[in-house]
Amino acid sequence: MPSKSRLKTLAPDGLGPTVTVGEILVEIMATSRGSGFLEPIELTGPYPSGAPAIFIDQCARLGGRAGIIACVGDDDFGRINVERLRRDGADVSAIAVSPDYPTGTAFVRYRGDGSRDFVYNIGKSAAALVELTPEARVLLARSGHLHVMGTALSIPAIWQVLDHAIDAVKARGGSISLDPNLRKELLGHGQTRERFARLLDIADLILPSGEELHTASGNDNEADALASLFARGAGEVVVKRGALGASLFGADGSRVESPGFLVEEIDPTGAGDCFGGAYIACRRLGMPAVTALDYANAAGARNVTRQGPMEGAGTRAELDLFIANTPRRRP
């Protein structure tokens, strides 16, 4: 049974940056809808991407201290990512550059029903070369919060980095959050299920969306799923509901609702990552839960109105303007 004496709120931003670990890649998108890439078609991009990179970019743009441990190739695709993150205020000191492997890529095409076809190069790219480098150790030694993305758990060496990161953050009195964006199939690989269970046991904040809540908890009923996560020691669970908004549940029985914004969706990629980056930055900056939830909802909604995975990530001023001028769904 996990200890219930650990932090129930996120560590303040002053303790040190929010740090995440995982893949950085570029996304290249088809301009037309259809099935697959079986003929020459027009493409747009490259766009900076990768769930951890999108998350940390939004966190930094909102004013939170933020850094990422990752690897890119010594190529233009890597440079466009590093420069974007640096420009937006993220600490890029622990992004390694591989002289031998290219930056990860994802080619994306939307089908007529809104689903997507992908052609990935991640496993054989620099994105899969995340390691516990000296620069990563230095960043973690002064970090205040660790955010774990489920997408990164497929990287072979990720657990060495995460094990060290968890110990380093907890030793400083920091906090941990988990976005369980993890395919069910991946839970059957090696020790992934056991390690994922450990993450659930130590996470102060869990940010699932849709089916992820049930995958993480093993329960199909929402109330039972939440009870299961709180029994493991979570202090907060934020359920992302897409266009409908989001719900915050506290271990103390509290509940906060934030209705979704009415926007025209251009590209949904990265919305959940922007949501998480905004929510964690706001909470660590001392904002009340209801305020943080509204900013997170706005960040996710604003991002879907732009083409590209992180092109809609907003500053606090931009999100204030978005909230003031965008209608919302009725509760």
Side-chain angles (χ1 to χ4, degrees):
M1 178 68 66
S3 170
K4 298 299 188 292
S5 62
R6 60 183 177 77
L7 289 172
K8 291 298 180 184
T9 56
L10 302 189
D13 193 73
L15 181 64
T18 295
V19 174
T20 193
V21 185
E23 72 277 12
I24 288 179
L25 55 140
V26 294
E27 193 164 304
I28 298 169
M29 309 177 72
T31 60
S32 62
R33 292 187 173 238
S35 297
F37 296 89
L38 297 176
E39 59 186 4
I41 55 176
E42 291 188 1
L43 303 168
T44 182
Y47 294 107
S49 190
I54 300 166
F55 165 86
I56 212 66
D57 188 78
Q58 177 60 86
C59 186
R61 281 184 63 77
L62 233 165
R65 299 167 66 189
I68 184 171
I69 299 169
C71 185
V72 297
D74 185 14
D75 51 38
D76 285 350
F77 289 170
R79 285 184 275 276
I80 195 175
N81 272 286
V82 174
E83 289 309 311
R84 166 62 67 85
L85 293 170
R86 179 185 287 117
R87 184 198 73 189
D88 288 347
D91 186 329
V92 299
S93 62
I95 299 178
V97 178
S98 171
D100 301 315
Y101 285 79
T103 300
T105 56
F107 288 79
V108 185
R109 190 178 192 187
Y110 284 90
R111 303 190 187 107
D113 63 1
S115 60
R116 292 171 288 180
D117 285 325
F118 292 93
V119 176
Y120 283 116
N121 178 24
I122 295 178
K124 301 297 184 181
S125 75
L129 301 181
V130 179
E131 294 180 343
L132 190 60
T133 62
E135 293 80 7
R137 290 177 181 273
V138 169
L139 177 59
L140 290 168
R142 55 184 178 81
S143 63
H145 182 88
L146 173 67
H147 182 66
V148 181
M149 313 287 290
T151 58
L153 301 184
S154 61
I155 297 174
I158 200 75
W159 294 111
Q160 179 193 12
V161 183
L162 289 180
D163 286 343
H164 180 87
I166 290 166
D167 290 343
V169 169
K170 291 178 70 174
R172 301 194 73 238
S175 48
I176 296 172
S177 55
L178 171 66
D179 184 338
N181 183 9
L182 181 69
R183 297 192 311 274
K184 288 182 179 180
E185 297 81 6
L186 191 59
L187 285 175
H189 291 184
Q191 295 180 302
T192 301
R193 184 177 295 276
E194 291 76 14
R195 291 178 179 272
F196 185 67
R198 182 195 176 205
L199 291 172
L200 290 172
D201 286 340
I202 63 175
D204 299 283
L205 166 66
I206 302 174
L207 297 124
S209 59
E211 185 64 26
E212 295 166 10
L213 174 63
H214 310 304
T215 300
S217 65
N219 292 281
D220 292 332
N221 177 272
E222 182 172 284
D224 292 339
L226 291 166
S228 173
L229 295 179
F230 289 133
R232 302 184 82 128
E236 295 180 6
V237 177
V238 175
V239 180
K240 296 173 282 184
R241 305 191 189 276
L244 298 178
S247 306
L248 164 64
F249 299 89
D252 59 359
S254 60
R255 177 171 181 168
V256 177
E257 296 289 342
S258 180
F261 291 89
L262 295 170
V263 297
E264 180 183 358
E265 182 181 285
I266 303 299
D267 180 10
T269 305
D273 306 318
C274 283
F275 180 105
Y279 184 79
I280 289 170
C282 289
R283 293 292 277 150
R284 296 199 65 215
L285 289 167
M287 297 183 196
V290 63
T291 304
L293 200 61
D294 275 348
Y295 272 121
N297 250 339
R302 185 177 189 272
N303 199 55
V304 307
T305 66
R306 308 291 201 277
Q307 186 82 33
M310 67 172 76
E311 300 310 301
T315 64
R316 184 168 180 179
E318 289 169 338
L319 294 179
D320 282 337
L321 187 64
F322 179 88
I323 291 170
N325 295 326
T326 308
R328 305 184 76 160
R329 295 179 180 274
R330 292 186 177 183

